[in-house]
Amino acid sequence: DTVLTQSPALAVSPGERVTISCRASESVSTLMHWYQQKPGQQPTLLIYLASNLESGVPARFSGSGSGTDFTLTIDPVEADDTATYYCQQSWNDPRTFGGGTKLELK
Amino acid sequence: EVQLQESGPGLVKPSQSLSLTCSVTGYSITSNYWGWIRKFPGNKMEWMGYISYSGSTSYNPSLKSRISITRDTSKNQFFLQLNSVTTEDTATYYCARSEAMMVLPFDYWGQGVMVTVSS
């Protein structure tokens, strides 16, 4: 299985820029997607195919990368962005998710 | 608007079968792909499998001997059955849609149902 590795947690101040990384154990081309999950809620799609912003998602969110290294950027961070962020690949079977990065606001 | 809602028992005994229903409104399950994903305590997420618009299925190899996904198109519902459960299957179970399973992500998710496996 393709293993996706994310940093467990980050803490930033409102107004700052934050980058959340996801590294794949093998190439996934650009078939990488990002989700946000707030406590008690279902995941919501933010970015698909590495860099495409899902409809309705604020332009503060952006994604980049290809191959094995991917980044989700939030700029500027707002208090409402407190959540866990997951990457997920759909290039290799089975689809796999990263372990999640918990974003906390200082 | 596409809406998905999971339902089923919140407590299952070890060695028994876990059965969940995903009810879909606002979109026909005879289009696109409909999957099950679970989130374990501690945040690990696992794709379990899907059923396609045509009724074909694909499962995570880690579950292949225990899982079955079926559907009832007349009720616009699809179902998860996981056999011989253990405490390791305790998780929150989500159903979700993908427009193209081989490429695209899960764009609509249900609220999730927490299932505990315990005697």
Side-chain angles (χ1 to χ4, degrees):
Chain A
D1 295 3
T2 303
V3 176
L4 303 181
T5 302
Q6 298 182 244
S7 299
L10 286 171
V12 298
S13 298
E16 290 185 346
R17 178 177 185 267
V18 65
T19 58
I20 297 171
S21 65
C22 176
R23 175 162 287 178
S25 61
E26 57 189 320
S27 177
V28 299
S29 185
T30 57
L31 299 193
M32 184 66 79
H33 321 294
W34 291 93
Y35 303 88
Q36 177 193 66
Q37 187 173 32
K38 298 181 179 180
Q41 298 183 19
Q42 70 269 51
T44 58
L45 179 63
L46 299 174
I47 301 288
Y48 63 97
L49 300 176
S51 61
N52 295 275
L53 190 68
E54 174 70 351
S55 176
V57 174
R60 303 183 292 104
F61 293 88
S62 62
S64 63
S66 65
T68 60
D69 290 295
F70 297 85
T71 299
L72 172 70
T73 300
I74 312 172
D75 187 13
V77 172
E78 296 183 358
D80 188 52
D81 298 334
T82 298
T84 300
Y85 293 84
Y86 294 91
C87 54
Q88 179 244 319
Q89 64 84 21
S90 54
W91 177 256
N92 297 312
D93 208 15
R95 318 318 179 245
T96 51
F97 290 83
T101 297
K102 187 174 184 179
L103 181 66
E104 296 181 340
L105 279 288
K106 295 178 185 174
Chain B
E1 183 188 0
V2 182
Q3 292 188 321
L4 298 90
Q5 180 67 59
E6 305 87 349
S7 59
L11 181 64
V12 181
K13 294 185 185 306
S15 80
Q16 293 188 344
S17 293
L18 178 163
S19 296
L20 298 176
T21 298
C22 183
S23 300
V24 180
T25 57
Y27 206 87
S28 172
I29 65 169
T30 58
S31 297
N32 296 154
Y33 297 80
W34 305 89
W36 289 96
I37 302 104
R38 61 182 178 176
K39 181 179 176 181
F40 298 100
N43 287 343
K44 178 187 172 184
M45 293 188 71
E46 179 181 62
W47 171 77
M48 301 180 72
Y50 71 79
I51 187 163
S52 76
Y53 57 92
S54 67
S56 63
T57 56
S58 179
Y59 303 130
N60 191 317
S62 68
L63 300 168
K64 204 158 192 177
S65 62
R66 298 197 292 136
I67 188 173
S68 176
I69 299 176
T70 57
R71 67 179 183 170
D72 183 338
T73 57
S74 68
K75 294 182 178 179
N76 217 39
Q77 295 175 326
F78 64 104
F79 311 101
L80 170 70
Q81 181 170 318
L82 187 65
N83 299 322
S84 306
V85 299
T86 71
T87 55
E88 305 282 300
D89 295 308
T90 293
T92 298
Y93 287 75
Y94 298 94
C95 58
R97 184 194 85 160
S98 174
E99 287 192 70
M101 188 60 70
M102 295 303 295
V103 176
L104 293 178
F106 302 101
D107 56 357
Y108 289 94
W109 294 65
Q111 294 276 0
V113 59
M114 187 179 298
V115 178
T116 300
V117 179
S118 175
S119 54

